[in-house]
């Protein structure tokens, strides 16, 4: 009997050993003629994209320095003077302005935006506040309508508008809002999302640029974030968005008078909206769509860095991930639908068309996501397993460090978080790359629209009452929202690569790889952002 068992064990070991030998043989047969060339091409492609991104970042860095040192300020480049009440015609000296506030079940923040809009220092008879409520929660709808009635009783010209369906989502609501009779006398429209709170002098500072410069279609303000210190997730977002405003939009405004409208915190000339074809819902970035079409008509845009509007960053990872999908998928999808139109237009210069196609869309909206993910999370780790493929240090280390340093100029106060920001951006690059590919191929989720959840002061207000008896604690764990298998899978993959590099590698990339494993693991178990009580 013992001999039989021994023979079985020997047979099993022999079979396993033979299988390993066969796999090794097959691997050696296909590695040199197939795997190595494919990976070498991937390295070359990633290096090319890295160089493109590097040149773009250096270009914008040089321009922003020149803008700050030598460019004239907006008030000097364009005509600007305060609009005042005229002795003879009174408030007629002020143009009619429409303020649109699109809403969707904004239970936590609706009072903030409505109150801020109704407190704008502009003549009451020359201002219309329009609340575009697409809420599906009837309780929330009643609350918003009562808030509008409360401000109307104070003499504010506020209109509460609802639609029977949410066709077109935000774009559909904004488009429908412009069709009402009381809007026909309005010359400009200001758009504020439900969590935005402009200062009272917002219109007084922005409108004169439009009023005295008929070639300007849009004045965009900078966003400031009231909850940037809430958690590490909001700090990471602040770093990315500050670069977008401080550098990207400033450079676009100064050099080509063009940039992408941010969807809120801006003032549009209604005539420019109409000439560009109005709001369209063909992508999830209706704001960028309108901006590109208006830019192709020859209209100019102006970014005002010192005109700031307070807003809220998504502090839960679920809300942030949905937002990033929309912000990454939408531009890629819009590029697919508009690239030929941009090439064919004759109303703008060749340089402006090149800037929109190459710099605005291709490098910033597509390549920036893809090179981050494929190079640092896939190609570079795989090159460790195949030593025949060499990744030069200038592409793997030096250029990425310079790009990262240039990205940090927008938020100097967070420079100590720079290394963690890199790791977190690498994790998010997977979602952005996937979204960009979906948009480029106009796939199933290309028109997915999920409204970014705003918490307002709901977390602050949910403090325990010390006098009352605490309720028994219940454990709730939403597996789908807290556990992300893709991130955990990448953490496992990179961990194995890191172990291999530690034992057999020659470049010591394992230091970076193990840190990246931690970042993927943190996101994978949902330990990022604010956790809402009871969720």
């Amino acid at each position: 009997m013992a001999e039989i068992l021994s023979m079985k064990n020997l047979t099993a070991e022999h079979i396993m050993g033979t299988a390993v030998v066969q796999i090794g043989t097959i691997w050696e047969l296909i590695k040199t003629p197939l795997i190595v060339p494919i990976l070498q091409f991937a390295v070359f492609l990633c290096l090319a994209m890295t160089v493109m991104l590097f040149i773009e970042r250096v270009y914008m860095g040089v321009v922003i320095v020149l803008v700050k040192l030598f460019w004239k300020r907006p008030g000097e480049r364009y005509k600007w003077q305060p609009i005042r009440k005229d002795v003879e015609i009174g408030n007629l000296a002020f143009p009619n302005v429409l303020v649109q506030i699109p809403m969707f079940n904004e239970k936590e923040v609706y009072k903030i935006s409505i109150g801020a809009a109704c407190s704008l220092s502009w003549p009451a008879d020359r201002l219309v506040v329009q609340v575009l409520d697409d809420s599906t929660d009837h309780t929330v709808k009643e609350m918003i309508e009562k808030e509008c009635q409360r401000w109307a009783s104070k003499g504010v010209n506020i209109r509460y508008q609802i639609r029977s369906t949410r066709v077109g989502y935000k774009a559909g609501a904004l488009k429908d809002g412009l069709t009402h009779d009381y809007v026909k006398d309005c010359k400009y429209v200001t758009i504020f999302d439900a969590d935005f709170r402009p200062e009272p002098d917002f219109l007084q500072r922005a409108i004169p640029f439009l009023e005295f410069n008929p070639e300007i279609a849009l004045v965009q303000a900078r966003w400031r974030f009231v909850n940037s210190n809430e958690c590490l997730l909001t700090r990471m977002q602040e770093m990315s968005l500050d670069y977008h405003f401080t550098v990207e939009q400033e450079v676009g405004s100064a050099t080509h008078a063009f940039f992408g409208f941010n969807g809120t915190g801006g003032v549009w000339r209604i005539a420019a909206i109409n000439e560009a074809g109005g709001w369209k819902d063909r992508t999830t970035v209706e704001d960028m769509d309108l901006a590109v079409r208006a830019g192709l008509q020859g209209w100019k845009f102006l970014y005002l860095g010192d005109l700031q509007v307070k807003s809220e960053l998504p502090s839960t990872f679920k809300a942030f991930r949905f937002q990033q999908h929309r912000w990454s998928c939408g531009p890629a999808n819009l590029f697919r639908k508009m690239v030929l139109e941009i090439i064919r237009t004759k109303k703008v210069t060749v340089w402006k068309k090149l800037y929109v196609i190459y710099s605005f869309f291709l490098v910033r909206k597509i390549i920036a996501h893809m090179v981050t993910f494929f190079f640092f999370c896939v190609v570079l780790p795989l090159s460790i397993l195949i030593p025949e493929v060499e990744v030069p240090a200038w592409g793997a280390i030096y250029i990425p460090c310079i790009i990262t340093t240039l990205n940090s100029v927008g938020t100097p106060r967070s420079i100590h978080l720079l290394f963690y920001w890199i790791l977190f951006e690498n994790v998010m690059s997977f979602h952005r790359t996937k979204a960009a590919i979906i948009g480029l191929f106009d796939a199933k989720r290309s028109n997915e629209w999920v409204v970014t959840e705003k918490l307002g002061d709901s977390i602050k207000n949910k403090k325990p009452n010390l006098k009352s008896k605490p309720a028994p604690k219940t454990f709730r764990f939403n597996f789908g929202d807290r556990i992300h298998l893709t991130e955990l899978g990448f953490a496992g993959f990179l961990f194995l690569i890191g172990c291999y590099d530690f034992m057999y590698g020659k470049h010591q990339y394992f230091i970076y790889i193990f840190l990246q494993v931690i970042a993927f693991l943190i996101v994978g178990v949902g330990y990022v952002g604010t956790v809402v009580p009871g969720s």
Side-chain angles (χ1 to χ4, degrees), residues 142-280:
E142 290 178 4
M143 294 164 61
I144 296 174
E145 186 174 10
K146 287 181 180 179
E147 183 68 9
C148 293
Q149 292 172 352
R150 188 175 74 85
W151 281 102
S153 66
K154 296 182 178 182
V156 176
N157 186 4
I158 184 170
R159 306 299 181 98
Y160 177 73
Q161 304 290 162
I162 59 174
R163 301 186 295 161
S164 56
T165 63
R166 290 186 66 213
V167 175
Y169 303 106
K170 181 180 176 180
L174 295 172
K175 182 178 181 179
D176 182 74
L178 294 176
T179 62
H180 296 280
D181 291 337
Y182 59 84
V183 175
K184 63 182 180 181
D185 294 327
C186 293
K187 192 174 181 180
Y188 308 111
V189 55
T190 307
I191 301 165
F192 296 116
D193 281 352
D195 59 310
F196 276 68
R197 47 202 88 170
E199 296 297 327
D201 64 347
F202 180 88
L203 295 179
Q204 291 180 336
R205 297 175 62 187
I207 295 295
F209 283 104
L210 293 159
E211 187 70 2
F212 300 116
N213 301 276
E215 72 277 15
I216 296 180
L218 166 68
V219 173
Q220 174 70 58
R222 177 173 177 167
W223 299 357
R224 278 298 184 191
F225 312 108
V226 296
N227 66 331
S228 59
N229 292 323
E230 183 173 332
C231 58
L232 198 54
L233 176 62
T234 55
R235 290 292 292 273
M236 299 299 101
Q237 294 176 69
E238 182 190 38
M239 293 176 71
S240 300
L241 289 171
D242 277 353
Y243 178 83
H244 168 69
F245 285 106
T246 305
V247 179
E248 291 182 348
Q249 294 214 299
E250 187 76 71
V251 169
S253 177
T255 56
H256 297 279
F258 172 81
F259 49 83
F261 175 46
N262 296 316
T264 176
V267 187
W268 274 94
R269 188 185 301 272
I270 294 180
I273 295 178
N274 295 333
E275 185 179 340
W279 292 101
K280 294 184 179 181

Side-chain angles (χ1 to χ4, degrees), residues 270-402:
I270 294 180
I273 295 178
N274 295 333
E275 185 179 340
W279 292 101
K280 294 184 179 181
D281 60 354
R282 56 181 175 173
T283 70
T284 56
V285 284
E286 72 294 323
D287 43 16
M288 186 182 294
D289 189 349
L290 176 61
V292 174
R293 285 184 283 112
L296 296 180
Q297 294 294 325
W299 288 99
K300 293 183 178 181
F301 302 161
L302 175 63
Y303 168 73
L304 298 178
D306 60 347
L307 180 61
Q308 301 179 359
V309 186
K310 295 177 182 178
S311 63
E312 179 184 326
L313 291 164
S315 57
T316 65
F317 184 65
K318 180 180 179 181
F320 176 65
R321 194 168 57 165
F322 277 125
Q323 182 200 68
Q324 292 303 296
H325 175 85
R326 190 172 75 247
W327 285 6
S328 302
C329 178
N333 192 235
L334 181 62
F335 177 68
R336 168 195 172 99
K337 294 177 178 178
M338 287 206 69
V339 62
L340 293 179
E341 184 179 344
I342 297 170
I343 294 172
R344 292 168 183 164
T345 186
K346 297 180 180 179
K347 294 186 177 182
V348 296
T349 64
V350 174
W351 289 112
K352 188 168 184 177
K353 288 193 285 186
L354 183 63
Y355 172 78
V356 174
I357 292 174
Y358 176 80
S359 181
F360 181 77
F361 274 117
L362 188 61
V363 177
R364 296 186 212 168
K365 310 301 181 185
I366 299 174
I367 286 179
H369 305 323
M370 291 187 175
V371 70
T372 303
F373 171 66
F374 285 118
F375 195 13
F376 297 103
C377 298
V378 179
V379 174
L380 185 62
L382 286 178
S383 70
I384 294 172
L385 299 178
I386 305 177
E388 294 89 342
V389 177
E390 188 75 23
V391 180
W394 61 264
I397 301 173
Y398 304 134
I399 285 183
C401 287
I402 296 173

Side-chain angles (χ1 to χ4, degrees), residues 413-442:
R413 78 183 186 96
S414 297
I415 197 166
H416 62 287
L417 298 173
L418 192 58
F419 195 77
Y420 180 77
W421 178 78
I422 298 170
L423 300 174
F424 179 73
E425 285 291 295
N426 288 349
V427 175
M428 290 308 303
S429 68
F430 165 72
H431 297 285
R432 293 171 182 145
T433 299
K434 181 175 68 173
I437 293 173
I438 289 172
L440 282 174
F441 288 94
D442 204 13

Side-chain angles (χ1 to χ4, degrees), residues 502-513:
F502 177 75
M503 292 185 292
Y504 307 109
K506 57 182 179 179
H507 294 298
Q508 296 186 331
Y509 287 147
F510 66 87
I511 299 173
Y512 151 74
I513 289 176

Side-chain angles (χ1 to χ4, degrees), residues 476-488:
R476 294 183 181 181
F477 188 84
N478 191 326
F479 188 87
D481 288 344
R482 295 299 303 278
I483 298 297
H484 308 290
L485 297 179
T486 305
E487 284 82 352
L488 292 176

